[in-house]
Amino acid sequence: MNEDVADFGDRFVLLTSWYDVVEKFAQRADDLDEDAVRSILSGAESINAIETEASRLMLLTPELVGPDFEATMGIFVEGEGTLLGAEPVRVVGWASLPYVDFDQATDLTAYHIGEHVWCTATVRWILSGPALVRDSLRVQGVACVWETRVLLSTTNSDVQLTVLRGQRTSALSSGQLPALSPEVAGYASLVSRERRWMELQRREFSGRLTQSRLEKLIADARASPQEPLF
């Protein structure tokens, strides 16, 4: 390849990302309407696009395999949904489609490409819903922050929001705890009663009970005097 491009000089450029391509071939726009961008991001179509992407990346498979991510678990009054407290947890994956709320957008950059204005932005979303908590293997109501880099157009309504890349999730800050709402508690309670989660709990409880009995037998054997074998 070096021989093939040896005579190209500055005419050969290696572009390794979409951002590099846009920077080289598109014209920056200085008249970006940031309110319009935030309106699009908080709209139903963008929320649906993020729900789809979050489900693709974070939803548990039928074999209960998931990405394992960080979240905040709500501690609710059972049957009431009142939030008593919250704690950080590791989650195997979403047990069902999570709720999505737009939180904030930063690093907005706009370009003129053809007849339309395109914008990239770093967007923070709040995901909440029923998830399988790793330590307990129980379905609980949790929420997390997910930051993505997205592409959208403020002038072409036929184009859907595109997620260019996403970061790892993080736990909620104290100001984001309202995302652990009574609706999330009710949603998690409903999903946790599905047959596959009840069966998982039964197997987990049986395994722990067997382990507990085995540990007790070992402890009793160590505590009692041993008969000589001969």
Side-chain angles (χ1 to χ4, degrees):
M1 182 177 175
N2 288 337
E3 294 176 0
D4 292 339
V5 302
D7 297 330
F8 285 10
D10 294 338
R11 292 178 297 144
F12 179 78
V13 179
L14 179 62
L15 305 174
T16 59
S17 70
W18 180 92
Y19 178 80
D20 292 337
V21 175
V22 170
E23 282 290 299
K24 185 169 182 62
F25 296 106
Q27 179 184 358
R28 284 243 187 168
D30 298 325
D31 55 347
L32 176 64
D33 186 343
E34 295 190 6
D35 289 338
V37 172
R38 292 183 173 86
S39 177
I40 292 170
L41 290 171
S42 58
E45 289 188 4
S46 294
I47 295 299
N48 289 339
I50 296 301
E51 283 180 351
T52 300
E53 188 69 2
S55 297
R56 184 181 72 83
L57 295 173
M58 306 179 200
L59 198 65
L60 286 166
T61 68
E63 296 77 28
L64 302 184
V65 176
D68 192 275
F69 58 89
E70 185 179 358
T72 299
M73 180 179 71
I75 302 170
F76 300 96
V77 176
E78 188 173 355
E80 184 180 320
T82 302
L83 184 67
L84 296 178
E87 62 182 53
V89 290
R90 297 296 301 183
V91 167
V92 182
W94 295 111
S96 190
L97 191 71
Y99 296 131
V100 175
D101 289 302
F102 167 69
D103 189 43
Q104 71 171 23
T106 57
D107 301 328
L108 278 66
T109 307
Y111 303 89
H112 287 293
I113 303 177
E115 299 178 351
H116 294 288
V117 175
W118 294 79
C119 174
T120 58
T122 299
V123 186
R124 197 166 66 191
W125 314 89
I126 305 296
L127 311 181
S128 59
L132 187 66
V133 176
R134 186 175 65 180
D135 289 345
S136 65
L137 288 184
R138 294 178 65 89
V139 172
Q140 303 280 13
V142 310
C144 64
V145 178
W146 189 36
E147 188 173 276
T148 63
R149 188 69 177 167
V150 303
L151 170 70
L152 66 147
S153 175
T154 57
T155 59
N156 188 346
S157 58
D158 295 330
V159 176
Q160 190 180 48
L161 177 80
T162 300
V163 177
L164 301 175
R165 64 178 181 272
Q167 304 294 332
R168 289 185 176 273
T169 67
S170 60
L172 301 182
S173 66
S174 57
Q176 295 166 333
L177 289 181
L180 293 167
S181 63
E183 289 76 17
V184 171
Y187 186 15
S189 178
L190 181 65
V191 171
S192 69
R193 291 195 289 270
E194 292 179 2
R195 182 174 179 178
R196 65 169 175 163
W197 308 120
M198 297 291 286
E199 178 63 20
L200 177 63
Q201 278 300 297
R202 186 191 66 78
R203 294 201 307 268
E204 176 68 8
F205 178 76
S206 297
R208 290 182 179 180
L209 187 61
T210 300
Q211 181 67 20
S212 176
R213 287 171 175 169
L214 181 60
E215 290 173 351
K216 185 177 185 303
L217 287 173
I218 293 173
D220 290 346
R222 287 174 175 172
S224 61
Q226 298 294 313
E227 295 284 342
L229 294 177
F230 301 100

